[in-house]
């Protein structure tokens, strides 16, 4: 069983609120990723990190930001949420070039 | 940039029928991985193929990697209702350092 955790699992908030989605892994993986996914649809990479103090934007433009201060922790922040941000956000980690371990996801609804 | 295309997008089968999804990359791959995502769940790693022409089996699932290392397929023999979900391929470019996911194939199985 993968040791990668995301909180909250579900979040309903109003427009304009600031939110942080938490992601932690205990496997010591250097590489971590954030994907955005609408139900049953393709995975869009929005941010990734190859180690502490290293973050890059992914293929899909996103208004979110990330930080990587500790190896095990890779939070994603939205400064001002909008209805267009409603989606599922999946965190993953890997020990390159091996498999990705995904968290269970955070389902965000912005009203 | 690298593109990974997956077909079909949707597949509906009767229980007991076979199912195949195909993955094609615009560039030569170092390896290809397959993931399964159950409805409401997160992607879970199934297998990784590395060698040209490689074929691997997991019970009723057969995975193939093309000779040119640009395409792959997943074949399920005699589908069961437990096979329902979205199957994603993900390719790692020979010159790249991160996976590119295909759009996924949503499989539904009618009992």
């Amino acid at each position: 069983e993968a040791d990668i955790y995301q909180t909250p699992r579900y979040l309903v908030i109003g427009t304009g609120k600031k939110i942080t989605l938490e992601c932690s892994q205990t496997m010591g993986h250097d590489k971590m990723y954030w994907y955005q996914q609408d139900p049953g649809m393709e995975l869009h990479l929005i941010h990734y990190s190859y180690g502490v103090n290293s973050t890059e934007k992914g293929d899909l433009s996103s208004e979110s930001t990330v930080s990587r201060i500790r190896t095990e922790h890779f939070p994603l922040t939205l400064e001002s949420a909008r209805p267009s941000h409603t989606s599922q956000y999946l965190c993953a980690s890997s020990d390159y070039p091996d498999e990705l371990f995904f968290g269970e996801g955070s389902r965000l609804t912005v009203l | 940039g690298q593109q990974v295309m997956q077909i079909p997008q949707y597949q509906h089968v009767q229980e007991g029928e076979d199912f195949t999804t195909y993955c094609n990359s615009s560039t030569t791959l170092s390896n290809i991985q397959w993931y399964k995502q159950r409805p409401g769940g997160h992607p879970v790693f199934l297998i990784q193929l590395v060698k040209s022409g490689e074929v691997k089996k997991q019970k009723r699932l057969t995975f193939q990697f093309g000779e040119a290392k640009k395409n792959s397929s997943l074949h399920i023999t005699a589908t069961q209702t437990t096979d329902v979900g979205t199957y994603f391929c993900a390719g790692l470019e020979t010159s790249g350092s991160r996976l590119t996911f295909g759009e996924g194939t949503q499989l539904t199985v009618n009992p």
Side-chain angles (χ1 to χ4, degrees):
Chain A
E1 191 68 29
D3 296 317
I4 181 164
Y5 308 99
Q6 289 186 243
T7 57
R9 290 289 312 281
Y10 303 92
L11 181 62
V12 180
I13 60 169
T15 296
K17 298 292 186 183
K18 177 180 178 179
I19 63 153
T20 296
L21 304 180
E22 302 286 350
C23 177
S24 295
Q25 51 98 3
T26 58
M27 296 172 282
H29 290 165
D30 284 329
K31 291 179 180 283
M32 295 190 73
Y33 310 83
W34 277 103
Y35 289 87
Q36 183 175 343
Q37 184 189 37
D38 292 326
M41 303 303 285
E42 61 185 296
L43 295 155
H44 296 286
L45 180 67
I46 51 175
H47 295 284
Y48 61 99
S49 168
Y50 287 165
V52 171
N53 294 325
S54 156
T55 61
E56 301 286 344
K57 288 188 179 294
D59 304 318
L60 180 69
S61 175
S62 174
E63 293 163 343
S64 58
T65 59
V66 293
S67 63
R68 189 88 183 276
I69 299 173
R70 303 197 315 266
T71 298
E72 62 270 22
H73 195 213
F74 191 39
L76 180 144
T77 298
L78 272 169
E79 290 293 334
S80 179
R82 295 205 301 270
S84 60
H85 295 137
T86 294
S87 189
Q88 174 168 248
Y89 294 84
L90 289 160
C91 180
S93 73
S94 73
D95 192 8
Y96 175 87
D98 297 326
E99 66 192 90
L100 296 184
F101 292 92
F102 284 86
E104 295 192 359
S106 293
R107 293 182 187 273
L108 173 64
T109 301
V110 183
L111 304 176
Chain B
Q2 180 193 20
Q3 287 186 312
V4 176
M5 293 147 286
Q6 200 173 342
I7 56 170
Q9 187 175 1
Y10 304 95
Q11 186 76 60
H12 309 277
V13 299
Q14 287 295 128
E15 190 172 19
E17 292 181 341
D18 292 355
F19 159 76
T20 304
T21 174
Y22 300 91
C23 185
N24 291 287
S25 170
S26 57
T27 59
T28 303
L29 300 172
S30 173
N31 69 47
I32 193 156
Q33 300 176 6
W34 285 91
Y35 293 79
K36 177 184 179 181
Q37 184 176 22
R38 295 182 186 275
H42 58 281
V44 175
F45 174 81
L46 293 176
I47 208 160
Q48 178 173 277
L49 304 171
V50 178
K51 299 177 184 177
S52 170
E54 188 170 14
V55 178
K56 286 189 176 180
K57 293 190 175 185
Q58 289 180 350
K59 297 183 180 179
R60 296 177 294 105
L61 277 61
T62 301
F63 304 84
Q64 291 189 321
F65 201 8
E67 294 289 341
K69 299 185 75 173
K70 295 182 73 173
N71 57 74
S72 181
S73 65
L74 158 59
H75 179 82
I76 302 179
T77 304
T79 55
Q80 300 175 358
T81 55
T82 53
D83 296 325
V84 165
T86 301
Y87 292 84
F88 292 96
C89 63
L92 180 67
E93 264 188 302
T94 51
S95 59
S97 58
R98 57 187 174 95
L99 290 173
T100 299
F101 278 85
E103 303 95 331
T105 296
Q106 287 191 40
L107 172 66
T108 56
V109 179
N110 298 318

